[in-house]
Amino acid sequence: MRLGLYRTLTFLVLPLIAYSGWKRCKKHQKQQQSHPDLPAIPHCFASRFGRNPQPYRTGGIWIHAVSVGETRSIFPMLSALKQQYPNLPITVTNGSTQGAIQALEFAPVEIQHQMIPYDFPFAVNRFLDQIRPKLVIMIETEIWPNLYQACSKRKIPIILANARLKEQSFDAYQKWGGKMLETALNQTQFIAAQFDVDAQHFIKLGARPEKVKTLGNLKFDLSIPAGLLESAQDWKTTNRLETRFIWVGASTHAHPHKPNQVEASEESLLLQAHKELLESQPNALLILVPRHADRFGDVAELLAHSGLNFAQRSLDQKITETTQVYLADSVGELMQWFAASHIAFIGGSLVPFGGHNILEPAALGKPVLSGPHYANLDTLFQTFIQDDALNIVKDSQALANTLIDFANNPQKQISQGKKAQQAFEKNSGVLPKLMHEILALLDSKPPVA
């Protein structure tokens, strides 16, 4: 595909793109009304077209991370950049409202924030006029031809950092990307690939080999918040949970092909497994953490009809001796639930979504479980599978059996947790390598006028 054809096609679907963006911003507003703890996203919809009246400091660094996992992965880099360049403004953009919530509420340093402009020349150029960045860092697979073209014309260096291409995306890019994609990839200063297979994918799509560097996965350099383990222990003590077997069902999803059938959801499968676990371990507690805030109500309704006793975080309900499930319908507390648990199951994997990040519980030394649907993160998962540091369960029955096994074998919990932590630590150290490349660019290029 050529850039001209891409622009024509995207302009033709502009009304659909605009409507989709408007709906997501309105949904966030409604969520905020029912969950006042959620941060507001200023000018959520208008900013998608480069219209954001808030004043910006210019001449800094713009970092774009599309959603939750990508956003959390940049936090250590934000801290490192602020320490190295305390006077440079850092602008963070997101492509999803869930990612925006993470950035606005949990960024470790002061940031300027908005939703990323859609990839139309007028929107991109309006935003670049406003922030005039010295450097642009795009995270993972964010390749936007008009944005890259605009930065190239303005001589603003772009880094595609923590870059990856799952097989499905690679096949689609090979089929449709053509010259336009090749040009965009070579407009980057360099591409920092996660794994060798990602590097080869980018080269096959036309990136010049000298532009592609395999630095590793930035998510391996996550930092454990100070006081996290103490806070988790205090929570367990307060709720008298020290002697109970606790497992987390994290980032769970509706079934992608049956989104309105709650009985087909991943939460339903986890509750089936938990009921079997309770027959063996009557005091077991499941901390259930749905991936998206807009499903909290549906999951609460599912629990109300499950026959299980549950307490709800958002209602500040207390955990008692009879509580069997704790619905953690909150944002930003997942690390605490991991720290308080014995076992972590990572969702988006018992239903065909494609999996989620397994690194946070691994960093905390917790045994990690996943379903069989992890295609979105296959290379990452394989590094753990090769080290026997990840348990894959094919269905809810296998999940139940695995949980019972771990609950009855505390020593196995410890040994499997150590394997997960060792697999995590073996792949860490990516941030210093990426920072070395970033600093070379920042120290050699004056701010854009």
Side-chain angles (χ1 to χ4, degrees):
M1 185 182 296
R2 299 280 179 173
L3 185 59
L5 177 58
Y6 169 78
R7 288 177 173 173
T8 299
L9 293 174
T10 52
F11 270 112
L12 288 174
V13 297
L14 175 56
L16 294 176
I17 294 173
Y19 179 64
S20 175
W22 177 82
K23 279 206 310 181
R24 292 181 182 184
C25 289
K26 293 298 290 185
K27 178 187 287 188
H28 174 72
Q29 289 179 352
K30 291 180 180 178
Q31 290 172 1
Q32 194 187 18
Q33 291 171 1
S34 57
H35 294 82
D37 56 317
L38 291 178
I41 303 175
H43 313 289
C44 177
F45 180 59
S47 63
R48 304 308 299 264
F49 297 91
R51 294 189 179 279
N52 195 331
Q54 63 182 315
Y56 280 109
R57 293 173 61 201
T58 60
I61 305 163
W62 170 20
I63 305 173
H64 173 65
V66 61
S67 195
V68 175
E70 296 85 355
T71 302
R72 296 198 69 85
S73 77
I74 68 172
F75 286 172
M77 180 169 61
L78 294 179
S79 297
L81 287 170
K82 183 56 70 173
Q83 182 177 7
Q84 186 72 26
Y85 299 101
N87 296 320
L88 276 186
I90 298 175
T91 302
V92 174
T93 60
N94 296 102
S96 78
T97 55
Q98 295 296 318
I101 290 169
Q102 293 292 319
L104 288 164
E105 190 162 3
F106 303 111
V109 301
E110 180 184 358
I111 60 170
Q112 304 177 142
H113 182 273
Q114 77 160 57
M115 302 297 289
I116 188 174
Y118 289 128
D119 196 38
F120 298 105
F122 69 89
V124 168
N125 282 300
R126 187 179 287 148
F127 182 57
L128 289 175
D129 286 341
Q130 192 170 15
I131 65 169
R132 288 180 286 160
K134 182 180 183 181
L135 174 67
V136 176
I137 304 174
M138 309 296 286
I139 302 297
E140 295 206 3
T141 320
E142 294 295 284
I143 307 168
W144 298 105
N146 286 320
L147 189 156
Y148 281 40
Q149 177 78 356
C151 288
S152 180
K153 283 187 175 181
R154 294 168 184 247
K155 301 190 185 310
I156 303 170
I158 310 173
I159 298 171
L160 184 57
N162 214 42
R164 69 183 183 104
L165 272 179
K166 57 186 180 183
E167 287 297 330
Q168 186 177 2
S169 298
F170 173 65
D171 292 341
Y173 278 135
Q174 268 200 318
K175 186 175 182 179
W176 302 107
K179 185 66 177 178
M180 176 190 67
L181 180 64
E182 178 183 341
T183 299
L185 292 175
N186 288 305
Q187 284 169 335
T188 62
Q189 193 72 23
F190 69 90
I191 299 169
Q194 290 187 15
F195 299 102
D196 287 335
V197 64
D198 299 305
Q200 291 306 311
H201 281 164
F202 284 111
I203 291 170
K204 288 178 181 178
L205 291 174
R208 293 197 294 274
E210 64 271 17
K211 280 189 175 285
V212 183
K213 306 176 183 184
T214 302
L215 299 188
N217 188 338
L218 191 61
K219 292 178 180 177
F220 279 100
D221 280 21
L222 66 88
S223 57
I224 297 174
L228 175 69
L229 299 180
E230 293 81 1
S231 174
Q233 185 58 50
D234 287 346
W235 179 80
K236 290 174 68 174
T237 301
T238 300
N239 290 280
R240 300 179 180 179
L241 298 172
E242 294 97 328
T243 61
R244 298 182 64 173
F245 177 75
I246 303 171
W247 68 289
V248 176
S251 298
T252 54
H253 281 257
H255 194 293
H257 307 310
K258 306 170 185 177
N260 298 319
Q261 297 181 25
V262 69
E263 67 277 3
S265 68
E266 196 163 34
E267 293 87 7
S268 180
L269 296 174
L270 264 60
L271 294 181
Q272 292 174 32
H274 190 56
K275 288 178 179 179
E276 290 207 33
L277 172 63
L278 288 169
E279 293 180 8
S280 171
Q281 295 283 334
N283 71 340
L285 177 70
L286 163 61
I287 302 176
L288 188 57
V289 193
R291 178 71 173 184
H292 296 119
D294 61 337
R295 297 191 59 249
F296 288 165
D298 291 340
V299 177
E301 185 175 349
L302 173 67
L303 281 165
H305 292 88
S306 68
L308 294 166
N309 292 322
F310 76 101
Q312 201 164 340
R313 173 69 168 167
S314 64
L315 300 179
D316 199 27
Q317 294 174 338
K318 302 300 181 184
I319 298 174
T320 69
E321 291 181 0
T322 61
T323 302
Q324 297 164 313
V325 181
Y326 188 55
L327 176 57
D329 51 348
S330 58
V331 175
E333 296 185 299
L334 186 54
M335 282 288 278
Q336 174 162 304
W337 309 136
F338 286 145
S341 71
H342 296 92
I343 306 288
F345 171 83
I346 305 302
S349 59
L350 273 183
V351 293
F353 177 82
H356 282 298
N357 183 9
I358 58 176
L359 298 177
E360 289 181 337
L364 291 166
K366 306 295 180 179
V368 186
L369 281 61
S370 170
H373 303 287
Y374 52 83
N376 291 348
L377 297 160
D378 182 69
T379 305
L380 169 63
F381 274 53
Q382 291 303 328
T383 63
F384 276 73
I385 291 171
Q386 290 166 11
D387 291 340
D388 188 29
L390 177 64
N391 293 77
I392 303 297
V393 294
K394 65 178 181 178
D395 53 28
S396 62
Q397 182 62 59
L399 173 60
N401 293 341
T402 303
L403 289 168
I404 292 168
D405 185 28
F406 273 113
N408 291 328
N409 293 278
Q411 191 57 45
K412 184 174 182 178
Q413 294 174 29
I414 295 171
S415 63
Q416 196 65 22
K418 284 183 178 178
K419 286 183 180 180
Q421 193 169 45
Q422 288 167 356
F424 171 83
E425 291 173 348
K426 186 172 71 174
N427 290 279
S428 62
V430 178
L431 181 59
K433 292 183 283 187
L434 179 60
M435 284 297 298
H436 175 77
E437 302 287 348
I438 292 173
L439 299 185
L441 282 174
L442 288 173
D443 291 341
S444 65
K445 184 175 179 61
V448 175

